[in-house]
């Protein structure tokens, strides 16, 4: 179900649009605007991503927040995909990498695909549903990018509270999740 839904999202081919380098540059600009102190791991991750940009082969419709919390399933399978405000044209591996961000595993770290399964299972389902052949290095790049992106979003959420814009214990404590993304980035960059 998970792989087939990702293929359906990517089924609409588009002409070349944003390259991986463009999304990385935009993420860096956001990071520099919100980070109170530099993160050596995030700096290393930006360098790592910059040295391993995946080839820009296919541009499709990308959900932008493709993860378990945005899927509704029933006994018959997938019923709906929610939360479309981040949809854009991009590399379909962005959605595949995003659903493997460590924070979406909810404590089931041994199951990297949303805490439900293994990467190989998602790859097989994706390709079986007529998705393009998965390139592991591109997947790994987008998974690292997703973890870095989520870490920066955690900083942004914490800043909303700490700067007094929206006082909230929940938003402030989301900032502690930055360390989770740093840990995962170190593992991804080592090839684990």
């Amino acid at each position: 179900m998970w792989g087939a839904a990702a293929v359906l999202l990517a089924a609409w081919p588009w002409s070349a649009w944003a390259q991986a380098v463009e999304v990385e540059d935009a993420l860096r600009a956001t990071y520099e605007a919100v980070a109170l102190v530099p993160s050596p791991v995030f700096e290393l991750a930006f360098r790592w991503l910059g040295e391993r940009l995946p080839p820009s082969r296919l541009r499709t419709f990308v959900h932008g927040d493709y993860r378990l919390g945005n899927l509704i399933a029933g006994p018959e399978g997938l019923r709906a995909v929610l939360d479309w405000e981040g949809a854009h044209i991009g590399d379909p591996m962005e959605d595949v990498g995003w659903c493997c961000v460590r924070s979406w595993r909810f404590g089931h770290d041994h199951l990297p695909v949303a805490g439900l399964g293994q990467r190989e299972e998602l790859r097989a389902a994706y390709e079986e549903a007529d998705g393009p052949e998965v390139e592991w290095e591109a997947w790994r790049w987008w998974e690292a990018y997703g973890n870095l992106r989520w870490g920066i979003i955690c900083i942004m959420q914490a800043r909303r509270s700490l700067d007094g814009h929206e006082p909230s214990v929940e938003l402030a404590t989301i900032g502690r999740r930055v360390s989770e993304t740093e840990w995962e980035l170190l593992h991804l960059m080592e090839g684990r």
Side-chain angles (χ1 to χ4, degrees):
M1 174 183 80
W2 195 277
V7 169
L8 287 174
L9 291 175
W12 298 291
W14 302 81
S15 60
W17 180 296
Q19 304 292 325
V21 69
E22 292 170 333
V23 297
E24 182 194 3
D25 287 347
L27 190 62
R28 178 172 273 292
T30 300
Y31 168 69
E32 290 174 354
V34 300
L36 294 171
V37 296
S39 162
V41 175
F42 284 7
E43 294 295 334
L44 181 62
F46 276 116
R47 187 174 326 128
W48 186 90
L49 290 169
E51 293 169 354
R52 290 164 179 78
L53 291 169
S56 190
R57 54 181 180 86
L58 180 63
R59 294 285 157 242
T60 65
F61 187 74
V62 174
H63 181 271
D65 193 9
Y66 188 69
R67 58 188 176 84
L68 188 59
N70 288 327
L71 302 180
I72 296 179
E76 72 285 355
L78 184 65
R79 289 186 179 173
V81 179
L82 309 174
D83 199 11
W84 290 91
E85 73 267 6
H88 60 279
I89 306 304
D91 187 326
M93 289 299 100
E94 182 178 349
D95 276 342
V96 172
W98 183 251
C99 75
C100 294
V101 167
R102 182 182 179 136
S103 293
W104 312 147
R105 298 175 196 163
F106 300 100
H108 299 277
D109 290 335
H110 64 288
L111 299 171
V113 180
L116 299 174
Q118 299 298 327
R119 289 177 185 91
E120 181 57 36
E121 294 169 311
L122 177 56
R123 184 207 57 80
Y126 188 85
E127 291 177 359
E128 183 178 304
D130 292 327
E133 184 177 336
V134 172
E135 297 174 8
W136 286 112
E137 286 308 306
W139 179 329
R140 186 169 150 216
W141 192 94
W142 283 107
E143 188 174 337
Y145 171 87
N147 277 279
L148 180 59
R149 176 180 161 214
W150 175 244
I152 293 168
I153 291 170
C154 289
I155 294 170
M156 293 168 62
Q157 297 287 61
R159 289 281 309 266
R160 283 175 49 204
S161 178
L162 299 173
D163 290 350
H165 299 292
E166 189 177 341
S168 162
V169 171
E170 177 188 10
L171 292 175
T173 57
I174 287 174
R176 72 172 175 72
R177 302 207 71 183
V178 171
S179 61
E180 291 176 7
T181 63
E182 290 172 326
W183 182 251
E184 185 67 8
L185 283 164
L186 290 171
H187 284 284
L188 287 166
M189 290 184 290
E190 287 182 340
R192 291 197 257 167

